[in-house]
Amino acid sequence: MNDQAGQNGAATLLKALVFLMFAMFAMTTDSVGTVIPEVIREFQLGLTAGGSFQYATMAGIGISAIALGFLADRIGRKATILIGLVLFGVSSALFAAGHDFLFFTSLLFVSGIGIGIFKSGALALIGDLSRSTGEHARTMNLIEGFFGVGAIIGPAIVAYMLTQGASWKWVYIIAAMLCALLVLGSVVARFPRPIITRTEPVRASEAIRMAGDPPARFFGTALMLYVGAEAAIYVWAPTYLANYSGSWLWLAAYVVSIFFVLRAAGRFLGVWLLSRFDWASVILVCSAAMAALFWIAVLDGREVAIFALPATGLFMSVLYPTINSTGISCYEKGRHGSIAGLLLFFTCVSAVLAPLAMGALGEWLADSSYAILLGGVFATLLALLCGWNRSRAPFAALLAQRDADDYRA
């Protein structure tokens, strides 16, 4: 009894650490939209150069996810998480050591590498702590809910510091302080024994080999479409609504903030939904509702888009963690680090290419509404993909097998 209580306590501590990890790095990655205008002003940069604060981090995450995600399977979850946290924490703390644009972008690239490493390890750890594929999906929604909270806190910290005459760099320094506490917590925490499901050693090329698997292709494509639709809101909605002059002008300034709040709240709601309904039905209904709101925004113009676009956050909220966790659950636990890294790589590729495509289309046609239209196309394709998944259930047998073989009820 005492041993079981001890195991439950250790699992609770580990989940709490993962929740805080996601909230911590969201503080920096999702505050970049607030930081970039200040960086452009301070260093007299153009929009493309200022955007390096976004691209440097995403490049670091993507490269480390696909090249180093296997470490969670090779050297263990604990060591992988500690390596990633130390890289992220040191690079964030070094923002206090200088004031040079190239120096900052280099630090963001290194911090992205750290995020990719510890995120792959943390996602693999959650699989170890879950007792079923369903619990895995519910826990992932909780984790992403805390990520959403961090995405709200980060920009608020930047805004507050600027009103007080302080530097935007404080958001990175505060993240470094939190990271130091997480390193300490991870050092003393008891991690579960790794579940060995293979005899050959895991190699760096593992994720690349997995990219050809049907589950990896399906869930990777779904994540890319989701991220593309999401980018239309938090990257381009402010530009699309910049010329709005209707009776809800005050609301236009808070569209992205409302979107983030609804996305965070919806992820906690997702835990309830997934405890009562099949995951395939949940993502079909939510993706269809998201696509419908996009097309309402496109067809009815800015007066309606000011309400429809932030409302997509409520339906988007469940999609990313459920798609991601289910994709990971399709593989045995001994490969969770590699598949988590691969799916994270797909996410980062879309996070870079989708906003670029939207910006290029809007610039080419001299109308930012086309960026929102392209987001609607991505959302519609995702809904169709989820509809096919719901009707054909191509991974139901595989998930049932994982429940029987890798999880403990």
Side-chain angles (χ1 to χ4, degrees):
M1 181 68 72
N2 290 336
D3 185 57
Q4 183 64 40
Q7 290 179 8
N8 290 338
T12 300
L13 173 61
L14 288 173
K15 287 182 180 180
L17 287 172
V18 174
F19 294 159
L20 293 175
M21 286 177 207
F22 275 65
M24 174 198 64
F25 84 80
M27 285 174 52
T28 60
T29 56
D30 278 30
S31 65
V32 71
T34 312
V35 169
I36 285 175
E38 296 301 314
V39 172
I40 289 174
R41 180 184 59 80
E42 288 185 21
F43 295 100
Q44 300 297 306
L45 303 172
L47 293 176
T48 302
S52 298
F53 262 46
Q54 162 78 357
Y55 307 139
T57 306
M58 289 299 111
I61 295 174
I63 291 171
S64 65
I66 196 167
L68 300 173
F70 80 99
L71 289 176
D73 302 327
R74 186 71 176 264
I75 66 175
R77 318 315 195 199
K78 184 170 187 172
T80 302
I81 288 172
L82 285 172
I83 291 171
L85 285 175
V86 169
L87 279 176
F88 176 84
V90 171
S91 58
S92 296
L94 286 175
F95 268 83
H99 198 76
D100 178 80
F101 179 70
L102 182 59
F103 176 63
F104 288 153
T105 52
S106 299
L107 290 179
L108 287 172
F109 178 74
V110 174
S111 75
I113 291 176
I115 291 171
I117 293 173
F118 79 69
K119 187 174 181 181
S120 296
L123 292 175
L125 174 62
I126 289 301
D128 293 345
L129 298 174
S130 300
R131 292 168 295 181
S132 69
T133 57
E135 182 182 330
H136 193 178
R138 293 191 296 273
T139 305
M140 280 296 296
N141 273 269
L142 270 177
I143 290 172
E144 293 293 343
F146 280 90
F147 179 92
V149 171
I152 297 168
I153 293 174
I157 291 174
V158 175
Y160 176 76
M161 290 299 174
L162 294 176
T163 60
Q164 299 300 308
S167 173
W168 50 267
K169 293 192 291 184
W170 271 103
V171 72
Y172 296 98
I173 297 169
I174 292 172
M177 295 175 183
L178 292 174
C179 190
L181 294 176
L182 288 171
V183 168
L184 179 61
S186 298
V187 168
V188 301
R190 288 172 50 197
F191 280 64
R193 290 182 181 179
I195 296 175
I196 306 299
T197 57
R198 51 191 296 157
T199 56
E200 72 275 15
V202 182
R203 302 184 185 279
S205 58
E206 181 76 9
I208 297 175
R209 291 200 303 269
M210 295 166 71
D213 296 344
R217 291 202 307 268
F218 173 85
F219 290 102
T221 301
L223 288 174
M224 291 184 74
L225 291 172
Y226 165 82
V227 170
E230 185 185 55
I233 307 296
Y234 76 85
V235 176
W236 290 112
T239 302
Y240 172 62
L241 296 171
N243 296 326
Y244 173 77
S245 57
S247 54
W248 297 95
L249 187 61
W250 65 271
L251 188 59
Y254 295 99
V255 161
V256 174
S257 297
I258 295 170
F259 169 77
F260 280 144
V261 169
L262 290 176
R263 191 185 66 173
R267 282 173 175 167
F268 291 108
L269 177 63
V271 179
W272 180 85
L273 285 173
L274 291 167
S275 68
R276 287 160 176 80
F277 304 101
D278 175 65
W279 72 272
S281 299
V282 171
I283 65 171
L284 172 58
V285 171
C286 289
S287 61
M290 174 185 68
L293 286 169
F294 262 105
W295 290 114
I296 288 171
V298 169
L299 297 175
D300 292 339
R302 289 175 174 82
E303 193 69 33
V304 174
I306 204 167
F307 297 98
L309 291 180
T312 60
L314 192 59
F315 298 100
M316 284 190 190
S317 59
V318 186
L319 295 174
Y320 181 83
T322 304
I323 293 169
N324 194 34
S325 63
T326 308
I328 294 171
S329 291
C330 284
Y331 291 83
E332 60 268 25
K333 289 188 176 183
R335 303 172 76 192
H336 276 193
S338 298
I339 185 59
L342 177 62
L343 294 179
L344 181 56
F345 172 76
F346 282 126
T347 300
C348 292
V349 168
S350 186
V352 173
L353 296 183
L356 285 175
M358 292 170 186
L361 182 64
E363 189 172 11
W364 177 45
L365 298 173
D367 188 345
S368 60
S369 66
Y370 285 100
I372 306 302
L373 185 148
L374 186 54
V377 171
F378 289 145
T380 302
L381 291 174
L382 177 58
L384 292 173
L385 192 62
C386 291
W388 174 83
N389 175 68
R390 177 65 182 82
S391 64
R392 300 292 294 272
F395 309 111
L398 180 58
L399 290 168
Q401 179 184 342
R402 294 293 168 235
D403 271 325
D405 295 345
D406 279 8
Y407 291 88
R408 299 292 181 265

